Amino acid sequence: MKIAVDAMGSDSHPQPDVEGAVWAAREHDVKIIFVGKQNIVEPELAKHDLSGLDISLVHASEVIEMKEHPAAAAKSKKDSSMVVGMRMLKKGDVDAFVSVGNSGGVLAVALLYLGRIKGVKRPALSAVFPTRKGNCFLLDVGANTDCKPMYLLQFAIMGSVYAERVLGITNPRVAIVSNGEEEGKGNTLVQETYPLLKASGLNFVGNAEGKDIAAGFADVIVTDGFTGNVVVKFAEGVAGFIFDLIKEGILSSPVTKLGGLLAQPAFMQIKKRLDYREYGGVPLLGVDGTVIMGHGRSDSLAIKNAIRAAKQAVEKGTIDAIRDVIAQSLAASSAV
Amino acid sequence: MKIAVDAMGSDSHPQPDVEGAVWAAREHDVKIIFVGKQNIVEPELAKHDLSGLDISLVHASEVIEMKEHPAAAAKSKKDSSMVVGMRMLKKGDVDAFVSVGNSGGVLAVALLYLGRIKGVKRPALSAVFPTRKGNCFLLDVGANTDCKPMYLLQFAIMGSVYAERVLGITNPRVAIVSNGEEEGKGNTLVQETYPLLKASGLNFVGNAEGKDIAAGFADVIVTDGFTGNVVVKFAEGVAGFIFDLIKEGILSSPVTKLGGLLAQPAFMQIKKRLDYREYGGVPLLGVDGTVIMGHGRSDSLAIKNAIRAAKQAVEKGTIDAIRDVIAQSLAASSAV
């Protein structure tokens, strides 16, 4: 299996991108094709022992930066690492493309050069969330700020396939974010989407209130990209705030400081549990190829795990499975 | 000053409601008129020393329960404590009404018996959030799941008045929840509201992403009631989850347990900082009278603080101030 990796993706590229991918090549037995600036990536590659690994580099003279306007950059930077990598995926030269760069950029480049799976109305950005009962897969977290009921239905369908095949969750429970548990609660979008989800054949468990998300109420939770984005960023903000308060509180006296020191193993455990790096990357669902994205802050562990996710998605035939269920869903709705 | 207090509001009514209001009567020098079932409230009142306090009871034979459908209950339960209290406020028999019961119920009863301030399109439920820089006042958190730009503009106007007069924040910074910082980011509602806020004369500081809320980016943050409700409940869920993980981690070994014990003062401090009870109740903004609401889980401290908020709101002429700025805002927009 060949995986193209954007060597210019992470905030501290190319170091984590290269190290993580080389690590993945050895641990997960995949061929890696780096895409990026030759004069920057080659010296980084030289730092690693590549013996026995199938690793190559394709030069791309441009980079879509984190702060750039995604759609404009996708169009103008035709020789960027994202565009070059995505075109390799389109042509079938590689099985998947992994980038932890500008997520709007990956989305725009994928729409432009890869296109959507037939029948898919909109692609969705996704996130994996730690919960009391494991992880939950949330989408859309930012690709579509204004959604229609059919988009959310398709997010649920695609999310279920991914959760089942890549995250290994049998018959995943699907929910929709709402402001109340009961059927009938929600804004107009939720109220109109509810009956579609109910009739979808998915394992739909109903509305998920804000508190239900962390409680582990469902495995796959759909929402519009506006609400999803706010929730994901809010979670980061709240968690960071709480941990900073704890740190501050613990450092406030010698006794609490000693206590904090003794309790440190507990905190390390929690940090690991809440660590986004453990889940690897997340898929861009709905585009016609396996694209795995990640946080710009990704380190080599996160990148290695993103590549593991890409490998699993390809092995489990995720794209073809999505193609099939979307086609079935459209056939069913047109038959009504 | 006379304040009507719903004695049947909290989950464990009438104990916290009565205790908190008696406490407030002594500490904040207000007259309290309890509203509730005489046979239930009187025995509770008998437990307290009421010497020197001006406390009375008005009988109401019905209660709007937490699980009831708000609009239906507001209509049918004409002798409920909420309806009786709200009618006293409407008639001018009291200066404010405080209830920590079913928040949808308070909203429905207020709309039915009190009405809106002239010119206000929709009332808003609100919440106070701890942040890195103090507190932030978020609205709407559930009254209006689908909003129009004008609603959000009015939430900002009303929220600013409340923050300035009751929370004591000079020239409060106002923001709107969005999925990106830059102007132009957001769903259609946010994009259409942005220019209204910019032209409003408020101290508008722009879009607040999810992460900005806890960071203390603004003092007053507006959003539609769907997003606001999801965010508030999500915050509770995430905070509870993190603290449970910490507890679990600390209890996992004798050493971490000892550490936790020594660090306990730090945790108590954080708990206090994040404690919703400290902020007192929150206003129902936009209705034509001072109505303060609170969490059903409120204890006597929370109830006492809710009554303090009611007193401050009345003393500072909040309703009249909102009436004035809304009228000015409507005059300005019709003059354009």
Side-chain angles (χ1 to χ4, degrees):
Chain A
M1 182 178 313
K2 277 188 207 158
I3 297 177
V5 174
D6 182 356
M8 318 301 281
S10 78
D11 294 346
S12 357
H13 66 263
Q15 189 277 325
D17 313 75
V18 168
E19 185 174 292
V22 169
W23 189 0
R26 203 168 290 285
E27 192 167 315
H28 299 302
D29 191 29
V30 289
K31 296 173 187 172
I32 300 289
I33 304 180
F34 286 108
V35 191
K37 292 186 181 175
Q38 192 167 0
N39 63 328
I40 288 179
V41 184
E42 256 178 4
E44 194 61 36
L45 271 169
K47 296 179 189 166
H48 296 273
D49 168 21
L50 306 179
S51 60
L53 302 179
D54 190 335
I55 287 180
S56 55
L57 168 64
V58 168
H59 177 64
S61 64
E62 293 174 299
V63 177
I64 295 180
E65 308 285 352
M66 281 294 175
K67 285 279 163 196
E68 272 187 283
H69 187 281
K75 268 181 210 157
S76 66
K77 293 193 161 173
K78 293 189 167 61
D79 199 38
S80 61
S81 53
M82 281 185 200
V83 170
V84 171
M86 205 69 82
R87 294 182 67 176
M88 287 163 63
L89 178 59
K90 176 73 178 179
K91 280 202 288 175
D93 293 346
V94 295
D95 301 293
F97 177 58
V98 174
S99 174
V100 301
N102 183 330
S103 59
V106 176
L107 171 66
V109 168
L111 281 171
L112 212 55
Y113 290 92
L114 197 59
R116 282 169 282 152
I117 290 173
K118 200 185 163 202
V120 169
K121 305 284 180 198
R122 292 287 186 282
L125 294 172
S126 57
V128 174
F129 249 79
T131 76
R132 286 178 198 266
K133 295 182 182 167
N135 293 323
C136 119
F137 188 63
L138 183 72
L139 69 168
D140 175 23
V141 298
N144 313 278
T145 47
D146 292 287
C147 284
K148 293 180 179 173
M150 178 59 100
Y151 304 175
L152 294 190
L153 170 65
Q154 293 194 337
F155 297 165
I157 291 171
M158 297 191 293
S160 279
V161 170
Y162 189 84
E164 187 134 24
R165 300 199 171 219
V166 181
L167 306 178
I169 300 164
T170 311
N171 198 23
R173 295 161 301 157
V174 176
I176 182 167
V177 173
S178 188
N179 61 321
E181 288 164 17
E182 309 84 11
E183 180 168 358
K185 287 273 186 174
N187 55 15
T188 306
L189 175 64
V190 171
Q191 289 178 13
E192 289 177 3
T193 307
Y194 197 103
L196 301 184
L197 289 169
K198 214 170 157 181
S200 66
L202 296 169
N203 182 12
F204 179 55
V205 295
N207 285 341
E209 289 192 275
K211 66 181 168 54
D212 299 325
I213 300 174
F217 175 71
D219 305 301
V220 176
I221 304 189
V222 295
T223 188
D224 63 274
F226 179 82
T227 309
N229 186 278
V230 169
V231 161
V232 166
K233 290 185 185 157
F234 184 63
E236 278 186 45
V238 169
F241 177 42
I242 291 176
F243 284 115
D244 284 353
L245 282 181
I246 292 172
K247 202 171 166 184
E248 199 180 288
I250 280 175
L251 293 177
S252 68
S253 89
V255 176
T256 54
K257 220 186 254 180
L258 175 62
L261 208 64
L262 294 172
Q264 204 166 21
F267 288 111
M268 298 307 286
Q269 202 180 306
I270 295 157
K271 224 177 149 187
K272 193 172 149 73
R273 173 82 186 276
L274 299 179
D275 188 354
Y276 70 94
R277 301 176 311 163
E278 295 293 325
Y279 320 118
V282 284
L284 173 59
L285 288 178
V287 297
D288 201 7
T290 301
V291 177
I292 301 288
M293 314 167 59
H295 207 297
R297 289 202 313 266
S298 290
D299 63 5
S300 58
L301 173 64
I303 306 242
K304 185 194 75 162
N305 287 339
I307 293 167
R308 181 190 62 194
K311 184 192 178 193
Q312 281 176 304
V314 172
E315 279 178 351
K316 298 292 177 68
T318 309
I319 298 294
D320 282 337
I322 290 175
R323 203 188 314 280
D324 290 350
V325 287
I326 289 288
Q328 282 164 25
S329 156
L330 290 173
S333 66
S334 68
V336 171
Chain B
M1 181 179 315
K2 279 189 206 158
I3 297 177
V5 174
D6 182 357
M8 317 301 280
S10 78
D11 295 345
S12 354
H13 66 263
Q15 189 276 323
D17 313 76
V18 168
E19 185 174 294
V22 170
W23 189 1
R26 203 167 289 285
E27 193 167 315
H28 299 302
D29 190 26
V30 290
K31 296 173 186 172
I32 299 289
I33 303 179
F34 286 108
V35 191
K37 292 187 181 174
Q38 191 168 2
N39 64 328
I40 289 178
V41 183
E42 257 179 3
E44 193 61 36
L45 270 170
K47 294 178 190 166
H48 296 274
D49 168 21
L50 307 179
S51 60
L53 302 179
D54 190 335
I55 287 181
S56 56
L57 167 64
V58 169
H59 176 66
S61 64
E62 293 175 298
V63 177
I64 295 180
E65 308 284 352
M66 282 294 174
K67 284 281 164 195
E68 272 187 283
H69 188 280
K75 268 181 210 155
S76 67
K77 293 193 160 171
K78 293 188 169 57
D79 199 39
S80 61
S81 53
M82 280 184 201
V83 170
V84 172
M86 206 68 81
R87 293 182 67 175
M88 287 162 63
L89 178 59
K90 176 73 179 178
K91 280 201 289 175
D93 294 346
V94 294
D95 301 294
F97 177 57
V98 174
S99 173
V100 302
N102 183 330
S103 58
V106 177
L107 171 65
V109 168
L111 280 172
L112 213 54
Y113 289 93
L114 196 59
R116 282 169 282 152
I117 290 173
K118 199 183 165 205
V120 168
K121 306 284 180 196
R122 292 286 186 283
L125 295 171
S126 56
V128 174
F129 249 79
T131 75
R132 287 179 198 265
K133 295 183 183 166
N135 294 324
C136 118
F137 188 63
L138 183 71
L139 70 166
D140 175 26
V141 299
N144 313 278
T145 48
D146 292 286
C147 284
K148 294 180 178 172
M150 180 59 101
Y151 304 175
L152 294 190
L153 170 64
Q154 293 194 337
F155 298 165
I157 291 171
M158 298 190 292
S160 279
V161 170
Y162 190 83
E164 188 134 22
R165 299 197 172 222
V166 182
L167 305 178
I169 301 163
T170 310
N171 198 22
R173 296 161 301 157
V174 175
I176 183 167
V177 174
S178 188
N179 62 321
E181 289 163 17
E182 308 84 13
E183 180 169 358
K185 287 272 185 174
N187 56 16
T188 307
L189 175 64
V190 171
Q191 289 177 13
E192 288 177 2
T193 307
Y194 196 104
L196 300 184
L197 290 169
K198 216 170 156 180
S200 66
L202 296 168
N203 183 11
F204 179 55
V205 294
N207 286 339
E209 290 192 274
K211 66 182 169 52
D212 299 325
I213 301 174
F217 175 70
D219 305 301
V220 175
I221 304 188
V222 294
T223 187
D224 64 274
F226 179 83
T227 309
N229 186 279
V230 169
V231 161
V232 166
K233 290 185 184 158
F234 184 64
E236 278 187 44
V238 168
F241 177 42
I242 291 175
F243 284 115
D244 284 352
L245 282 180
I246 291 172
K247 202 170 167 183
E248 199 181 288
I250 280 175
L251 293 176
S252 67
S253 88
V255 175
T256 54
K257 219 186 257 179
L258 175 61
L261 208 64
L262 294 172
Q264 205 167 19
F267 288 112
M268 298 306 286
Q269 202 180 307
I270 295 158
K271 224 178 150 186
K272 192 172 151 72
R273 173 81 186 275
L274 299 180
D275 188 354
Y276 69 94
R277 300 176 311 164
E278 294 294 325
Y279 320 117
V282 284
L284 173 60
L285 288 178
V287 296
D288 200 8
T290 301
V291 177
I292 301 288
M293 314 168 58
H295 207 296
R297 288 202 314 266
S298 290
D299 62 6
S300 57
L301 174 63
I303 307 242
K304 185 194 73 161
N305 286 339
I307 293 167
R308 181 189 61 192
K311 184 192 177 193
Q312 283 176 304
V314 173
E315 280 179 349
K316 299 292 176 70
T318 310
I319 298 294
D320 282 337
I322 291 175
R323 201 188 316 279
D324 290 349
V325 288
I326 290 287
Q328 281 164 24
S329 156
L330 290 173
S333 67
S334 68
V336 171

